[in-house]
Amino acid sequence: MIVIVDYGVGNLGSIINMLKKAGAKAIASSDPEVLQQAEKLILPGVGAFDAGMNKLNECGLVPLLNHLALEKKVPFLGLCLGLQLMTKKSEEGQCPGLSWLDAETLRFRFDDSQAQLKVPHMGWNTIEIRQSHLLFKDLDPEARFYFVHSFYVQSQDPEAVLAETDYGGHFHSIFGKGNIMGFQFHPEKSHKYGMRLLKNFAEMSA
Amino acid sequence: MIRPRVIPALLLQGQGLVKTVKFKNPTYLGDPINIVRIFNEKEVDELVFLDITATNENRPPAFKMLANITSECFMPLGYGGGIRSMDDIKTLLSIGIEKIILNTSAVENPSLVRAAADYAGSQAVVISIDVKKSFLGKYEVWTRGGKKCTGLDPVKHAVEMEEQGAGELLINSIDRDGTMQGYDIELIRRVSDAVSIPVVACGGAGRLQDLADAIKMGGASAAAAGSLFVFQGPLRGVLISYPSQAELKQVLP
C-alpha cells in the first residue's frame, strides 16, 4: 500500500486517481498508524514553503516522517512542494526544511535577455535524463511533464540528480538518492508520461 | 523549453456540453465524458470547463460528473461556474480539479479570491473575466454568464484580482465568442501589459494562427478555444480535434 501523506496541502484526489489507474493501491492519510504501515510514501504539496512546513509541523508528523525516511528507509517520493520540503531550506521562506536531501530551494532568476520568461514556470516541459534509474523504465523518449513552480531545487550532491529541465538554464527536476525521490513537476497531471513514472515508483521493489 | 499552452475551453450546461456564439444560442455537442475522453487521448495541454448556467440557475457545480472526469483525465483541469464558497472550492480540489475559476463570485465577493489563494496557493486560482465592448466602444466586465454588466474596466479588475491573489486570468471576449474570427488582440494586450500573472486568451479562435497571434501580439501566456476544437467545416459539424505536438511547435513561438 502506498500512503500519501495528508497534511492539508496538495491535490491528493488526482494522485490517488492516477495511482489507481496505474494499478496501485493508494490511500491518503495523516494517521500515524497508517503511515507506519506504508510500503511506500508520497509527500505531495502545492503552495508556499513555510505554509507547507507549518502544516506538517501542526500535524505533528515530522518526527515520524523523519524516522520513516531516514531510519526505516521507506521509499519516499516528494512531488512539487513536497520535494522542496525535503531540502534544507528555501529562499521562499524562513522555516528549515526536512533536510533529507543535500539541497536547497532557490528562486528562478533570469538575466535581462530572458526577461520574457515568466514565473511561475507553468506548462509542459521535457526532462534530460542524467542517470539511469528504475523510475525511467519504459518511459517514452518524447515524454513531457506539467510544471507549476516559482522555486526550484538545487542539489549539492550531483549523484542525487536523475534529470534536469531547461527553463532559462537547467534546474534539477528529478531526484533520487537511495529511498528518497522527488519530482518537481506534477506526474498526476502529466498524461501517460506521469503515469509511467508513478507506476514505476509503485512497482519498484522496496 | 516550454511552448505556450493551448487549452480547449468546454462549456457545460449542467450535464451536457454545448458551444455558444456571443454567449447565446448554445448548440448541444454531446456527453461531456465522451468528449473529454477524446481530448484525453489527444493529450491536450490542459482543459477548462465552464458551466455557463450554474450561477443563474443558482446551482452548485456538477461535482459528481466532474469527479467522473477527473478519475480518468490526467492533465491540468480548471473548472468554473456556480462556485460560491470555500466549501465548493475544497470539494473541487479534493476531486482533482486544481484550477478554480471564479468569475461572478470574484466580482460580488472578492474576499473569496483571497481566501482561495491563501488556502490552495495562487496557482490554483484563476479569474475569468468576460468582456464586452459597449456602444461607445468601451470595454466592460460582464458577470452572471454574460447577463449582467458591472461597468467595471477589465484592466482595473484584472489588476485588482492579481492583488487579491489570483494566479492566472482567463480573458474572454463575449463579442468574439464562437465567431471564429480571431481573438480581440487589443483587449488581451491591454490586460497582459497591466499584470505579471499569466493571461489566457479566450474567445474568437478560428485557426491555429489565431492562437499564435494571441501569444505573440497579445502577450498571452496561453490560448484557449472552443469552436476551433469542437467544430469542423463551414457547417460546424461536431468533430473533436486538437493539433499534434509537431503542429503546435511549428505555429507557436
Side-chain angles (χ1 to χ4, degrees):
Chain A
M1 176 75 84
I2 298 175
V3 181
I4 301 159
V5 183
D6 182 1
Y7 62 108
V9 171
N11 201 349
L12 310 189
S14 303
I15 302 170
I16 293 173
N17 286 341
M18 184 176 260
L19 283 165
K20 267 190 199 157
K21 189 86 176 177
K25 281 189 183 157
I27 54 163
S29 180
S30 55
D31 179 345
E33 283 192 21
V34 175
L35 293 171
Q36 255 160 352
Q37 286 168 23
E39 288 164 45
K40 286 172 188 165
L41 289 155
I42 291 180
L43 188 63
V46 294
F49 190 89
D50 280 1
M53 275 317 296
N54 288 336
K55 285 253 174 75
L56 266 184
N57 284 316
E58 282 162 24
C59 294
L61 290 174
V62 174
L64 173 61
L65 297 182
N66 281 335
H67 166 73
L68 296 172
L70 304 175
E71 288 160 36
K72 204 173 165 194
K73 298 205 179 293
V74 178
F76 218 131
L77 177 67
L79 300 182
C80 197
L81 178 70
L83 162 65
Q84 297 183 357
L85 296 179
M86 293 175 168
T87 67
K88 291 177 175 166
K89 60 178 179 179
S90 171
E91 288 186 337
E92 189 182 12
Q94 310 299 319
C95 295
L98 293 166
S99 305
W100 300 345
L101 287 167
D102 185 11
E104 289 178 9
T105 303
L106 306 176
R107 183 188 296 275
F108 277 115
R109 285 189 183 83
F110 303 119
D111 59 41
D112 289 345
S113 65
Q114 297 164 319
Q116 75 280 13
L117 289 178
K118 290 220 170 189
V119 174
H121 168 220
M122 182 194 280
W124 292 79
N125 208 334
T126 51
I127 57 168
E128 295 168 30
I129 294 175
R130 297 291 180 242
Q131 287 184 59
S132 61
H133 195 278
L134 282 173
L135 283 171
F136 301 135
K137 188 176 151 251
D138 298 329
L139 181 67
D140 189 325
E142 298 289 305
R144 54 202 165 86
F145 301 95
Y146 182 71
F147 290 80
V148 191
H149 60 124
S150 300
F151 295 79
Y152 66 94
V153 174
Q154 174 78 42
S155 179
Q156 316 300 328
D157 173 6
E159 281 182 21
V161 179
L162 299 186
E164 292 183 273
T165 291
D166 180 16
Y167 191 63
H170 284 82
F171 69 90
H172 303 153
S173 51
I174 301 187
F175 286 77
K177 177 115 191 199
N179 61 313
I180 308 294
M181 287 158 266
F183 306 151
Q184 182 57 67
F185 47 84
H186 288 275
E188 76 279 13
K189 290 288 160 185
S190 300
H191 288 301
K192 65 183 181 200
Y193 313 109
M195 193 181 304
R196 170 48 63 188
L197 294 186
L198 281 185
K199 194 174 167 69
N200 287 343
F201 174 72
E203 290 173 357
M204 212 179 267
S205 50
Chain B
M1 289 291 285
I2 61 172
R3 60 158 173 75
R5 291 164 288 147
V6 170
I7 307 171
L10 305 176
L11 306 183
L12 296 163
Q13 226 176 16
Q15 305 290 320
L17 212 59
V18 297
K19 183 65 199 101
T20 51
V21 176
K22 301 189 181 185
F23 278 34
K24 292 191 175 115
N25 306 321
T27 305
Y28 181 74
L29 301 177
D31 171 49
I33 307 285
N34 285 334
I35 291 174
V36 163
R37 217 170 262 153
I38 300 172
F39 278 121
N40 193 40
E41 279 164 18
K42 294 184 182 296
E43 297 180 6
V44 300
D45 290 342
E46 190 165 330
L47 277 181
V48 159
F49 297 96
L50 301 171
D51 191 324
I52 57 174
T53 52
T55 294
N56 291 329
E57 289 171 4
N58 216 14
R59 191 160 50 69
F63 293 119
K64 215 171 192 178
M65 189 196 65
L66 292 169
N68 284 338
I69 290 171
T70 57
S71 65
E72 47 185 304
C73 276
F74 302 109
M75 67 191 94
L77 298 171
Y79 171 83
I83 302 171
R84 287 178 187 80
S85 65
M86 278 309 295
D87 280 347
D88 289 342
I89 291 170
K90 287 177 187 174
T91 306
L92 288 167
L93 292 167
S94 73
I95 61 178
I97 297 279
E98 74 273 68
K99 293 196 181 187
I100 303 299
I101 305 176
L102 301 174
N103 184 328
T104 303
S105 288
V107 171
E108 297 180 4
N109 178 19
S111 63
L112 188 61
V113 178
R114 172 52 61 198
D118 285 346
Y119 179 78
S122 286
Q123 84 294 329
V125 183
V126 181
I127 304 303
S128 162
I129 305 180
D130 295 335
V131 182
K132 193 148 96 176
K133 258 189 183 169
S134 72
F135 288 116
L136 299 170
K138 198 177 125 210
Y139 286 122
E140 288 176 319
V141 176
W142 289 64
T143 57
R144 302 199 158 261
K147 298 248 185 318
K148 188 181 172 192
C149 180
T150 63
L152 290 170
D153 170 55
V155 175
K156 271 191 200 153
H157 182 47
V159 170
E160 199 201 318
M161 289 296 109
E162 182 178 22
E163 283 165 6
Q164 288 290 330
E168 197 167 14
L169 300 171
L170 179 68
I171 305 297
N172 199 359
S173 162
I174 297 176
D175 301 310
R176 300 293 177 103
D177 173 55
T179 64
M180 302 184 79
Q181 289 171 349
Y183 294 100
D184 186 337
I185 299 291
E186 190 197 342
L187 169 66
I188 303 302
R189 180 88 252 170
R190 283 196 198 177
V191 175
S192 65
D193 280 348
V195 298
S196 60
I197 52 178
V199 168
V200 183
C202 193
R207 53 199 183 118
L208 292 185
Q209 186 56 44
D210 291 335
L211 308 174
D213 289 349
I215 288 146
K216 281 187 214 161
M217 292 154 60
S221 295
S227 305
L228 178 63
F229 302 135
V230 300
F231 291 133
Q232 170 86 349
L235 296 175
R236 294 163 77 87
V238 176
L239 181 76
I240 305 305
S241 69
Y242 188 77
S244 69
Q245 291 300 314
E247 284 174 294
L248 290 173
K249 261 184 206 152
Q250 200 183 5
V251 71
L252 294 173

